[in-house]
Structures are given as structure tokens and as C-alpha cells.
Amino acid sequence: MAADDAAARIRSLITALAPDARRPVTDESRLVADLGFDCLRLTELASVLEDAFGLRPFGPAEAPGSLRVADVIAAITGERP
């Protein structure tokens, strides 16, 4: 999968799982502070991303709570959007 396609898929998955659907998801959106993710929803997002991209399970120290959408994309694709 090309990096642009992967980035679009990641944004789509984050948008689908974001608790605060009123807020637009941008690359600069912070998962917790801007989009309203809590511990349970972050765990769900990690699981969905693992399944969608064949990733190894995230450990507790790798929880993406303070990350921006761009950080998640970079972690998975190896490229900054």
C-alpha cells in the first residue's frame, strides 16, 4: 500500500472512531485533547490499526494518547504527511 493511501486509510479509521464527531480530523489534531479519545477508545484504535496494517500489538508504553494524527501516520508509514 502506498504511503498516501495508507495515510488516507489511517485518517479514515481515526475519523470513524473519534468520540467527538463534530471536530474535523486534521493531521495536527491531537487524539485526546482535540478528538476526545479516552483510554478505551485509544485501545480500540490501536487494535483497529494493528488489524488494518498487520502491526504487532502496541504495548502500554506506546499508547498514542498525546499523539497527533500526523504522528500516528508517521509511525505506521515511516513518512510524515
Side-chain angles (χ1 to χ4, degrees):
M1 178 179 295
D4 287 343
D5 293 338
R9 177 102 190 267
I10 294 164
R11 285 185 202 99
S12 176
L13 292 169
I14 292 172
T15 299
L17 292 171
D20 190 350
R22 299 168 294 156
R23 292 220 162 145
V25 174
T26 69
D27 289 345
E28 296 305 313
S29 298
R30 295 168 296 172
L31 298 180
V32 174
D34 298 331
L35 301 176
F37 279 84
D38 60 16
C39 293
L40 183 59
R41 195 57 70 102
L42 285 171
T43 301
E44 184 179 6
L45 175 62
S47 178
V48 167
L49 291 171
E50 290 163 8
D51 290 346
F53 293 95
L55 305 172
R56 65 173 177 69
F58 290 102
E62 299 169 297
S66 64
L67 297 179
R68 298 171 305 125
V69 172
D71 298 327
V72 176
I73 293 169
I76 293 173
T77 66
E79 296 183 15
R80 286 262 169 218

